[in-house]
Amino acid sequence: MTAGAAAPGRVRVIRLLRVREGMEERFVRSYDDVRAAAAGFPGHLGEQLCRSLDDPSQWLLTSEWSGLEAVRRWRTAPAHQALVGPMNACLHDDRWTGVFRVGETAKETADA
C-alpha cells in the first residue's frame, strides 16, 4: 500500500505452502490449533485449507479478516508465534504469503 492510500476493507491472507513428506497429519493438527485461536480473535472472518490435487505436498491456506489492522494485530499477538511455530516446522522454506483486498476489481483500481 502506498503512503496516503486508504486502508482496504476486508482482506484475505493467502499462503502457498509445501508440507514436508510424512508431516501432513502433524501439519493439519497444528493448523487446527492456529485456526481455533484465530476464530476467537477480533476481526477474523474465516479460514480455508486446501491441498493440491496435482502436487499433494502443496497446500493453500487462506484467511479472511475485517481489515489490514486486524491482520497486523493477529500477527503481533503474543501467542501467535507460539501457535504458528509447530505448523511452520512442518513446512519447506519455499512458502509464500500475500495479503489482498477482498472484492477489488480493475474498475475500482482505475477509479481510485
Side-chain angles (χ1 to χ4, degrees):
M1 187 180 333
T2 59
R10 277 190 356 247
V11 296
R12 184 165 295 140
V13 178
I14 299 176
R15 296 188 72 195
L16 186 58
L17 315 167
R18 208 160 48 89
V19 176
R20 296 177 188 276
E21 187 174 344
M23 299 192 81
E24 297 85 0
E25 286 183 39
R26 181 176 168 196
F27 168 73
V28 171
R29 280 193 313 271
S30 298
Y31 166 75
D32 283 341
D33 293 340
V34 173
R35 181 191 47 75
F41 201 84
H44 181 264
L45 302 175
E47 295 272 335
Q48 190 170 43
L49 181 64
C50 306
R51 189 173 189 182
S52 172
L53 297 174
D54 296 324
D55 178 358
S57 72
Q58 195 168 56
W59 297 67
L60 176 69
L61 185 160
T62 68
S63 60
E64 193 163 325
W65 297 83
S66 61
L68 189 55
E69 190 54 37
V71 173
R72 289 180 178 147
R73 284 192 312 270
W74 167 247
R75 287 179 171 173
T76 59
H80 181 257
Q81 288 305 312
L83 282 167
V84 299
M87 186 180 81
N88 287 342
C90 300
L91 305 176
H92 289 279
D93 290 334
D94 61 347
R95 54 191 178 253
W96 176 88
T97 302
V99 180
F100 297 83
R101 183 184 330 203
V102 174
E104 182 173 353
T105 65
K107 179 172 177 13
E108 290 173 358
T109 302
D111 292 341

